[in-house]
């Protein structure tokens, strides 16, 4: 199988040194392995994505010397595919509508009998309020004015991970140090530390977790190369792949580029924007030297 990787930025701000690191890391590996390097524009959140940021992404990456296959996949072109999969998951009884606000969730999760709210990759672990309501009503029609959550307990049961004596969810981690190159989490731990995640947000009708899984499969990605900040979310992605019968790629979570104070760079760190370095006369070789690639 041809080694295939991708760089998947969201056009919601300027690319900075951290993005340059991720893109070059993936690009270099694709070159070394005689593989394919793809680009994907992660613009499901139409309220934050901007055409000018997308143009700037192409501009910055070309300036860095990267070449990618065209046409570029854009998530905003794929809403029909996403809706089909949500319909299938709904029909399998794996989703339920959730109308809780953030404040409702925080209040329910910190109610005295629940103890201190646990934080997962998506924030406070959902206490299950709407799951219980849905059990009582069992609506056949999928509503379009509510978020849709995954019934995690059912998902774990269907994939054979429901208790401590069954196999954990596993994936190959080729970059971060793990025991024998494999990362894993048991079903009960997933239930406790991740819980019923949102698969379709009320505002955009979709979620990062589901789109990234569908897009990686559609692009034939064999190796996902991305920042270590996404390591904790990866068991979610692997579980979704199992539910949807999609292949699990090898994951390479690379270390993050940090500022002088050790803080990881964020989109709002415009001071590290590649365009600013360019405007100040830096060359692509200067950027490579700065990030050590
Ligand atoms: N779009 C995500 C970001 O810009 C990257 C997602 C991924 O590589 O899986 O952080």
């Amino acid at each position: 199988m041809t080694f295939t990787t991708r760089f998947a930025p969201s056009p919601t701000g300027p690319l900075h040194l951290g993005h340059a690191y991720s893109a070059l890391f993936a690009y270099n590996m694709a070159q070394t392995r005689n593989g394919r390097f793809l680009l994907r524009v992660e613009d499901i959140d139409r309220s934050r994505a901007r055409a000018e940021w997308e143009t700037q992404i192409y501009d910055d990456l070309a300036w860095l010397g990267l070449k990618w296959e065209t046409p570029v996949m854009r998530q905003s072109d794929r809403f029909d595919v996403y809706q089909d999969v949500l319909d299938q998951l709904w029909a399998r009884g794996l989703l339920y509508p959730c109308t809780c606000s953030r404040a409702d969730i925080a209040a329910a999760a910190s109610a005295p009998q629940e103890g201190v709210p646990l934080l997962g990759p998506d924030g406070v672990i959902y206490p299950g309020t709407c799951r219980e309501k849905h059990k009582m009503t069992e609506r056949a029609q999928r509503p379009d004015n509510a978020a849709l959550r995954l019934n995690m307990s059912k998902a774990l049961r269907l994939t054979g991970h429901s208790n401590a004596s069954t196999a954990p969810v596993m994936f190959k981690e080729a970059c971060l140090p793990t025991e024998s190159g494999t990362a894993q989490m048991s079903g009960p731990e997933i239930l406790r530390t991740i819980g019923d995640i949102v698969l379709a947000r009320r505002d955009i009708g979709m979620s990062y977790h589901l789109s990234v899984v569908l897009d990686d499969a559609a692009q034939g990605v064999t190796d996902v190369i991305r920042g270590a900040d996404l390591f904790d979310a990866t068991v979610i992605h692997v579980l979704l792949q199992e539910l949807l019968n999609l292949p699990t790629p090898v994951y390479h979570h690379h270390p993050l580029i940090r500022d002088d104070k050790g803080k990881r760079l964020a989109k709002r760190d415009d001071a590290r924007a590649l365009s600013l370095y360019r405007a100040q006369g830096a060359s692509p070789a200067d950027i490579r030297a700065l990030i050590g690639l």
Side-chain angles (χ1 to χ4, degrees):
M1 215 182 333
T2 311
F3 177 98
T4 304
T5 192
R6 49 48 166 200
F7 176 56
S10 305
T12 54
L15 293 189
H16 55 55
L17 287 183
H19 295 105
Y21 183 83
S22 201
L24 280 165
F25 195 101
Y27 186 76
N28 291 348
M29 200 177 287
Q31 300 279 89
T32 318
R33 310 263 186 113
N34 246 333
R36 300 170 67 202
F37 173 78
L38 309 174
L39 190 57
R40 180 166 77 232
V41 175
E42 300 220 316
D43 59 350
I44 38 168
D45 189 345
R46 303 305 290 153
S47 66
R48 294 177 60 223
R50 299 263 178 282
E52 50 280 24
W53 292 127
E54 187 176 330
T55 308
Q56 172 108 45
I57 287 171
Y58 300 137
D59 227 51
D60 284 343
L61 294 179
W63 175 76
L64 275 175
L66 271 57
K67 291 185 184 58
W68 54 90
E69 295 181 19
T70 52
V72 167
M73 178 179 278
R74 298 168 75 239
Q75 292 185 325
S76 52
D77 295 332
R78 290 175 47 75
F79 275 100
D80 289 352
V81 176
Y82 302 151
Q83 286 313 312
D84 275 358
V85 175
L86 285 169
D87 282 342
Q88 286 170 31
L89 292 171
W90 176 267
R92 290 166 68 190
L94 280 158
L95 303 177
Y96 62 88
C98 176
T99 48
C100 294
S101 65
R102 271 173 213 264
D104 294 336
I105 296 172
S110 54
Q113 69 278 19
E114 304 284 347
V116 182
L118 249 178
L119 283 182
D122 277 341
V124 175
I125 311 293
Y126 186 60
T129 326
C130 285
R131 183 181 60 233
E132 299 311 313
K133 271 193 227 156
H134 182 64
K135 263 195 210 145
M136 289 186 275
T137 54
E138 286 296 347
R139 264 171 290 183
Q141 261 325 78
R142 173 152 85 83
D144 43 33
N145 59 345
L148 297 178
R149 287 187 180 273
L150 178 68
N151 182 329
M152 187 59 89
S153 162
K154 186 160 185 182
L156 290 167
R157 216 166 41 241
L158 285 183
T159 48
H161 300 295
S162 51
N163 56 56
S165 57
T166 49
V169 174
M170 296 174 76
F171 61 93
K172 272 198 193 133
E173 171 57 55
C175 202
L176 287 184
T178 55
E179 220 171 287
S180 60
T182 309
Q184 61 180 65
M185 196 184 273
S186 72
E189 199 179 346
I190 291 176
L191 212 50
R192 196 173 55 78
T193 63
I194 296 177
D196 290 0
I197 45 158
V198 169
L199 286 193
R201 277 166 44 182
R202 190 186 342 208
D203 55 347
I204 57 174
M206 196 43 194
S207 63
Y208 159 68
H209 298 307
L210 189 55
S211 59
V212 81
V213 161
L214 297 175
D215 298 345
D216 281 335
Q219 288 191 297
V221 169
T222 61
D223 291 71
V224 170
I225 299 174
R226 61 186 181 191
D229 52 330
L230 289 166
F231 176 79
D232 286 343
T234 306
V235 280
I236 301 175
H237 302 168
V238 175
L239 187 69
L240 291 174
Q241 285 150 4
E242 290 185 14
L243 273 178
L244 296 166
N245 238 331
L246 300 172
T248 293
V250 175
Y251 287 88
H252 308 242
H253 289 100
H254 60 67
L256 301 175
I257 295 283
R258 301 188 179 269
D259 66 14
D260 332 324
K261 297 192 185 76
K263 219 174 106 259
R264 69 176 255 242
L265 301 183
K267 273 270 158 58
R268 57 191 172 282
D269 284 308
D270 290 2
R272 317 277 159 163
L274 287 180
S275 48
L276 212 70
Y277 284 97
R278 281 172 74 180
Q280 289 166 353
S283 69
D286 294 333
I287 301 292
R288 284 177 190 259
L290 262 176
I291 58 182
L293 282 179

